[in-house]
Amino acid sequence: MSLRLATFNVENLMSRFDFTGFRNQLRQDRVLKLFDVKSEEDYRRLEAARIVASTDDTRQLSALAIAEAEADIICLQEVDNMDALRAFEYGYLFRMVGHGYMHKYLVEGNDSRGIDVGVMMRDQTRDGERIEIVDIKSHAALTYADIGLFSPEIAATNKPDDKIFKRDCLELDLKIGGRPFTLYVVHFKSMTNGRDGVDGRTSTMPIRRAEALAVRHIIENRFGPVHAGRKDFAICGDMNDYQERVIVSGSRRTGYGFTHEDGLPSALDVFSHDGFAENVMRRREPLDRWTLYHARGPEEQHLCQLDYIWLSPSLAARNAGRAPEIVRGGQPFRTVFPPGQEVERFPRVGWDRPKASDHCPVVMSLDFA
């Protein structure tokens, strides 16, 4: 009995326009910066036209990436709302996979932009085993004070009664062929710009660490600290942090170099330091674990894993011979691939856009018996 489980940050699956770029240059798309737009009315008209013109290609590519993953359950991040998810599944994904993801779950979370985590699932696995939803629970209301996570590091940017999860931790109780399985879907705090001379990843790490501690608290409170490792659970999502990365040097003309850096401080040490859960991506080769290419010009380039499927010790042991797959065909042509990893891009992928997403879907086949 096998289940294909996936996670994918679909990147701004929105059903509304964002016109704040007229007053906030940081929110303005680069193409509109090329034009002298005199009035807000003109800006709104041009921005709406830009979004409509680019979205069709983008969502075709997103759907192709999901279709290639062939997952029975897919966890999604950056979904505007249920209407947007339904419209995407019916208008794009249905054309590629047919009547597949009939069941969709999303709860409005805490993100200031309104992007949420969600889940799509089939009625049954590809092996014909029934997928049942027993219960679904949002933890978006959980505060630092609720579980004693308020600290001096957190106090620099938050108050005790602030919500821990910047989006949500969506908890789904499932049965796969009658066997219990609990799924946690998250999207941790992003690595924003640095402040006071501290880089963005470091300055925001306490918030992500609190989110990871809160996920662990939820699981241990549910199953008990001793028994949690014996249960079948997975923690999936965009966690906006990494314990390793691949530094990219060089250029297209001179050739690229790839240097693996491991053992980096990370909020995700909360899951890994004592074996609470396993990042199964570590079963792949060190240069082949990345799900995102980061670049701020040729001087700053690296590949890293931001998208995770963490398995409980029980589930990881039962699937010791398996490793996740990464769908990279929707990556733009600017992404630098280490030797031997090049893939055939989906039709109409551009140098930077259109693309399926800035993230790659991750999928893994899991045995439950």
Side-chain angles (χ1 to χ4, degrees), residues 267-301:
L268 305 180
D269 297 343
V270 168
F271 296 149
S272 64
H273 81 277
D274 61 353
F276 171 76
E278 181 184 342
N279 172 19
V280 286
M281 190 73 83
R282 304 280 277 191
R283 298 176 182 182
R284 295 174 65 100
E285 291 297 315
L287 296 187
D288 196 18
R289 299 169 181 164
W290 60 274
T291 65
L292 180 133
Y293 168 66
H294 168 85
R296 289 183 178 172
E299 302 82 14
E300 184 182 333
Q301 304 177 78

Side-chain angles (χ1 to χ4, degrees), residues 63 93 122 176 337:
L93 195 54
R122 301 178 183 273
I176 312 299
F337 283 67

Side-chain angles (χ1 to χ4, degrees), residues 3-9 65-77 101 118-122 126 172 174 181 183-186 234-238 307-311 324-327 360-366:
L3 169 82
R4 283 183 65 82
L5 175 66
T7 185
F8 184 29
N9 181 327
I66 292 173
E68 185 166 309
E70 295 188 314
D72 301 313
I73 299 175
I74 182 160
C75 309
L76 297 171
Q77 300 86 50
Y101 300 103
V119 176
M120 295 193 300
M121 64 176 63
R122 301 178 183 273
R126 294 180 181 273
L172 293 93
L174 307 170
F181 171 54
L183 179 61
Y184 299 89
V185 188
V186 299
I235 312 165
C236 296
D238 173 5
D307 306 275
Y308 293 82
I309 297 176
W310 291 84
L311 298 183
E325 305 161 34
I326 307 170
V327 178
C360 299
V362 177
V363 60
M364 186 172 181
S365 294
L366 299 172

